[in-house]
Short mmCIF file of all heavy atoms in Angstrom, two decimals:
data_model
loop_
_atom_site.label_atom_id
_atom_site.label_comp_id
_atom_site.label_asym_id
_atom_site.label_seq_id
_atom_site.Cartn_x
_atom_site.Cartn_y
_atom_site.Cartn_z
N GLU G 521 -3.71 7.66 -2.84
CA GLU G 521 -3.60 8.20 -1.48
C GLU G 521 -2.90 7.20 -0.56
O GLU G 521 -2.07 7.56 0.27
CB GLU G 521 -4.99 8.55 -0.92
CG GLU G 521 -5.59 9.83 -1.47
CD GLU G 521 -5.01 11.09 -0.83
OE1 GLU G 521 -4.01 10.99 -0.09
OE2 GLU G 521 -5.55 12.17 -1.10
N LYS G 522 -3.27 5.92 -0.70
CA LYS G 522 -2.64 4.88 0.11
C LYS G 522 -1.16 4.76 -0.23
O LYS G 522 -0.31 4.67 0.66
CB LYS G 522 -3.35 3.55 -0.13
CG LYS G 522 -2.79 2.38 0.66
CD LYS G 522 -3.10 2.49 2.12
CE LYS G 522 -2.70 1.22 2.86
NZ LYS G 522 -2.97 1.32 4.31
N ALA G 523 -0.83 4.74 -1.52
CA ALA G 523 0.56 4.63 -1.94
C ALA G 523 1.39 5.79 -1.38
O ALA G 523 2.55 5.62 -0.99
CB ALA G 523 0.66 4.60 -3.47
N LEU G 524 0.77 6.95 -1.33
CA LEU G 524 1.43 8.15 -0.81
C LEU G 524 1.92 7.96 0.62
O LEU G 524 2.99 8.42 1.00
CB LEU G 524 0.44 9.32 -0.87
CG LEU G 524 0.99 10.74 -0.88
CD1 LEU G 524 1.76 11.00 -2.15
CD2 LEU G 524 -0.16 11.73 -0.76
N THR G 525 1.12 7.24 1.42
CA THR G 525 1.50 7.02 2.83
C THR G 525 2.53 5.92 2.97
O THR G 525 3.19 5.82 4.00
CB THR G 525 0.26 6.63 3.67
OG1 THR G 525 -0.22 5.34 3.26
CG2 THR G 525 -0.85 7.65 3.50
N LEU G 526 2.68 5.07 1.95
CA LEU G 526 3.59 3.93 2.04
C LEU G 526 4.99 4.24 1.58
O LEU G 526 5.91 3.46 1.82
CB LEU G 526 3.02 2.75 1.23
CG LEU G 526 1.70 2.17 1.74
CD1 LEU G 526 1.12 1.18 0.75
CD2 LEU G 526 1.89 1.53 3.10
N ASP G 527 5.17 5.35 0.90
CA ASP G 527 6.51 5.75 0.44
C ASP G 527 6.61 7.27 0.56
O ASP G 527 6.04 8.01 -0.22
CB ASP G 527 6.73 5.32 -1.01
CG ASP G 527 8.16 5.58 -1.48
OD1 ASP G 527 8.88 6.33 -0.80
OD2 ASP G 527 8.56 5.02 -2.51
N GLU G 528 7.38 7.69 1.57
CA GLU G 528 7.50 9.13 1.85
C GLU G 528 8.21 9.90 0.74
O GLU G 528 8.14 11.12 0.68
CB GLU G 528 8.25 9.33 3.17
CG GLU G 528 7.56 8.73 4.39
CD GLU G 528 6.35 9.53 4.81
OE1 GLU G 528 6.30 10.72 4.50
OE2 GLU G 528 5.46 8.95 5.46
N GLY G 529 8.91 9.17 -0.14
CA GLY G 529 9.62 9.85 -1.22
C GLY G 529 8.89 9.81 -2.55
O GLY G 529 9.39 10.31 -3.55
N ASP G 530 7.72 9.21 -2.58
CA ASP G 530 6.98 9.02 -3.82
C ASP G 530 6.29 10.32 -4.24
O ASP G 530 5.24 10.68 -3.73
CB ASP G 530 5.95 7.90 -3.61
CG ASP G 530 5.06 7.69 -4.82
OD1 ASP G 530 5.40 8.19 -5.91
OD2 ASP G 530 4.01 7.04 -4.67
N PHE G 531 6.89 11.01 -5.20
CA PHE G 531 6.27 12.23 -5.71
C PHE G 531 5.33 11.93 -6.87
O PHE G 531 4.44 12.71 -7.18
CB PHE G 531 7.33 13.25 -6.16
CG PHE G 531 8.30 12.74 -7.19
CD1 PHE G 531 7.96 12.69 -8.53
CD2 PHE G 531 9.57 12.32 -6.83
CE1 PHE G 531 8.84 12.24 -9.49
CE2 PHE G 531 10.47 11.87 -7.77
CZ PHE G 531 10.10 11.81 -9.11
N GLY G 532 5.51 10.76 -7.51
CA GLY G 532 4.68 10.42 -8.66
C GLY G 532 3.22 10.22 -8.29
O GLY G 532 2.32 10.72 -8.97
N SER G 533 2.96 9.50 -7.17
CA SER G 533 1.58 9.30 -6.73
C SER G 533 0.94 10.62 -6.33
O SER G 533 -0.23 10.88 -6.62
CB SER G 533 1.53 8.32 -5.55
OG SER G 533 1.93 7.02 -5.96
N ALA G 534 1.73 11.47 -5.66
CA ALA G 534 1.22 12.79 -5.29
C ALA G 534 0.87 13.60 -6.54
O ALA G 534 -0.17 14.27 -6.60
CB ALA G 534 2.25 13.53 -4.45
N GLY G 535 1.73 13.50 -7.56
CA GLY G 535 1.47 14.22 -8.80
C GLY G 535 0.21 13.72 -9.50
O GLY G 535 -0.56 14.52 -10.06
N MET G 536 -0.01 12.41 -9.47
CA MET G 536 -1.22 11.88 -10.08
C MET G 536 -2.47 12.33 -9.33
O MET G 536 -3.53 12.51 -9.92
CB MET G 536 -1.15 10.35 -10.12
CG MET G 536 -0.15 9.80 -11.13
SD MET G 536 -0.40 10.41 -12.82
CE MET G 536 -2.09 9.92 -13.13
N LEU G 537 -2.34 12.52 -8.01
CA LEU G 537 -3.48 12.99 -7.23
C LEU G 537 -3.88 14.42 -7.61
O LEU G 537 -5.05 14.79 -7.51
CB LEU G 537 -3.17 12.91 -5.74
CG LEU G 537 -3.21 11.50 -5.14
CD1 LEU G 537 -2.64 11.50 -3.73
CD2 LEU G 537 -4.63 10.95 -5.13
N VAL G 538 -2.92 15.22 -8.04
CA VAL G 538 -3.25 16.56 -8.54
C VAL G 538 -4.23 16.42 -9.71
O VAL G 538 -5.25 17.11 -9.79
CB VAL G 538 -1.99 17.33 -8.97
CG1 VAL G 538 -2.38 18.68 -9.57
CG2 VAL G 538 -1.04 17.53 -7.80
N SER G 539 -3.92 15.47 -10.61
CA SER G 539 -4.77 15.26 -11.78
C SER G 539 -6.14 14.70 -11.40
O SER G 539 -7.17 15.16 -11.90
CB SER G 539 -4.08 14.30 -12.76
OG SER G 539 -2.90 14.87 -13.27
N THR G 540 -6.15 13.69 -10.52
CA THR G 540 -7.44 13.04 -10.21
C THR G 540 -8.36 13.96 -9.43
O THR G 540 -9.57 14.02 -9.69
CB THR G 540 -7.24 11.72 -9.44
OG1 THR G 540 -6.58 11.97 -8.20
CG2 THR G 540 -6.42 10.74 -10.25
N TYR G 541 -7.80 14.70 -8.46
CA TYR G 541 -8.65 15.62 -7.69
C TYR G 541 -9.17 16.75 -8.58
O TYR G 541 -10.31 17.21 -8.42
CB TYR G 541 -7.90 16.18 -6.49
CG TYR G 541 -7.89 15.25 -5.30
CD1 TYR G 541 -6.69 14.81 -4.74
CD2 TYR G 541 -9.07 14.79 -4.72
CE1 TYR G 541 -6.67 13.95 -3.65
CE2 TYR G 541 -9.07 13.93 -3.63
CZ TYR G 541 -7.86 13.51 -3.10
OH TYR G 541 -7.85 12.66 -2.03
N THR G 542 -8.34 17.21 -9.52
CA THR G 542 -8.80 18.23 -10.46
C THR G 542 -9.95 17.69 -11.30
O THR G 542 -10.97 18.36 -11.51
CB THR G 542 -7.64 18.68 -11.37
OG1 THR G 542 -6.59 19.23 -10.56
CG2 THR G 542 -8.12 19.73 -12.36
N ALA G 543 -9.80 16.45 -11.77
CA ALA G 543 -10.85 15.83 -12.59
C ALA G 543 -12.14 15.64 -11.81
O ALA G 543 -13.24 15.73 -12.36
CB ALA G 543 -10.37 14.48 -13.13
N LEU G 544 -12.01 15.40 -10.50
CA LEU G 544 -13.18 15.19 -9.64
C LEU G 544 -13.80 16.51 -9.18
O LEU G 544 -14.83 16.52 -8.49
CB LEU G 544 -12.81 14.35 -8.42
CG LEU G 544 -12.43 12.89 -8.70
CD1 LEU G 544 -11.84 12.25 -7.45
CD2 LEU G 544 -13.64 12.10 -9.18
N GLY G 545 -13.16 17.64 -9.52
CA GLY G 545 -13.67 18.94 -9.11
C GLY G 545 -13.39 19.26 -7.66
O GLY G 545 -14.03 20.15 -7.08
N ASP G 546 -12.41 18.58 -7.06
CA ASP G 546 -12.05 18.79 -5.65
C ASP G 546 -10.83 19.70 -5.60
O ASP G 546 -9.68 19.22 -5.58
CB ASP G 546 -11.78 17.44 -4.98
CG ASP G 546 -11.51 17.57 -3.48
OD1 ASP G 546 -11.27 18.69 -3.00
OD2 ASP G 546 -11.50 16.53 -2.79
N GLN G 547 -11.05 20.99 -5.58
CA GLN G 547 -9.95 21.94 -5.61
C GLN G 547 -9.09 21.86 -4.35
O GLN G 547 -7.87 21.98 -4.42
CB GLN G 547 -10.49 23.36 -5.79
CG GLN G 547 -9.42 24.42 -6.04
CD GLN G 547 -8.62 24.15 -7.31
OE1 GLN G 547 -9.12 23.57 -8.26
NE2 GLN G 547 -7.36 24.57 -7.32
N GLU G 548 -9.73 21.66 -3.21
CA GLU G 548 -8.98 21.56 -1.96
C GLU G 548 -8.03 20.35 -2.00
O GLU G 548 -6.87 20.44 -1.60
CB GLU G 548 -9.94 21.43 -0.78
CG GLU G 548 -9.25 21.40 0.57
CD GLU G 548 -10.23 21.29 1.72
OE1 GLU G 548 -11.43 21.59 1.51
OE2 GLU G 548 -9.81 20.90 2.83
N GLY G 549 -8.55 19.21 -2.51
CA GLY G 549 -7.73 18.02 -2.62
C GLY G 549 -6.58 18.23 -3.59
O GLY G 549 -5.45 17.79 -3.33
#
Side-chain angles (χ1 to χ4, degrees):
E521 283 282 9
K522 180 71 172 178
L524 202 66
T525 67
L526 295 171
D527 186 345
E528 298 287 335
D530 176 15
F531 56 80
S533 294
M536 289 305 303
L537 285 170
V538 176
S539 296
T540 61
Y541 278 122
T542 300
L544 293 169
D546 184 346
Q547 189 60 30
E548 183 179 341

